[in-house]
Every structure is written in structure tokens, then in C-alpha cells.
Amino acid sequence: KRENPYDFTEREVQIAEMMKDGFTNKQIAKTLYISEGTVKNYVSNIYAKTQTENRVEAANLLKSIF
């Protein structure tokens, strides 16, 4: 099992990994068969849990975790 220092849900882990790999919200939504709005909600949760404010900051942090 991977480390999960931010207590991400399984879905947040999936989305975090895709964010780290440079996927857009639209691409994530399409890949996971969920709406773009739902992706945005998850992305907001990820920002909150990691205390980051934007995608670049979050992606850099996520790269160090996953």
C-alpha cells in the first residue's frame, strides 16, 4: 500500500495521481466517467487537504508522495 499522509479517499488518490501526471479536469472526468463538476469538487478537497492553492503547487507536492 502506498503512503497516504493526507488521508485521501480512494477516489482522491486516483484524481491526485492524474493531476500529478498533468491531466486536465476534463480529461480526468472523461477517464473516470464522472462529471467535470465532480472532479472540481475532488480537486478542491485535495487542495484543502494538502494546503495548496493551485494545480502547480498541488502537482509538485503530489509528485513527492506518489
Side-chain angles (χ1 to χ4, degrees):
K1 192 177 184 305
R2 276 177 299 225
E3 237 179 272
N4 189 353
Y6 295 100
D7 200 29
F8 289 141
T9 64
E10 210 172 302
R11 185 60 108 184
E12 286 168 350
V13 169
Q14 287 178 306
I15 290 172
E17 288 187 328
M18 294 175 86
M19 285 172 67
K20 161 188 80 80
D21 292 336
F23 282 69
T24 63
N25 287 355
K26 194 178 206 142
Q27 290 169 319
I28 294 170
K30 217 172 175 175
T31 305
L32 299 178
Y33 303 102
I34 56 179
S35 76
E36 222 175 311
T38 302
V39 174
K40 285 179 183 165
N41 290 338
Y42 279 114
V43 169
S44 295
N45 292 346
I46 290 166
Y47 288 165
K49 286 183 178 184
T50 56
Q51 296 182 328
T52 53
E53 288 176 23
N54 60 56
R55 209 170 190 94
V56 172
E57 242 183 83
N60 287 332
L61 181 73
L62 296 167
K63 283 176 186 168
S64 70
I65 304 169
F66 297 116

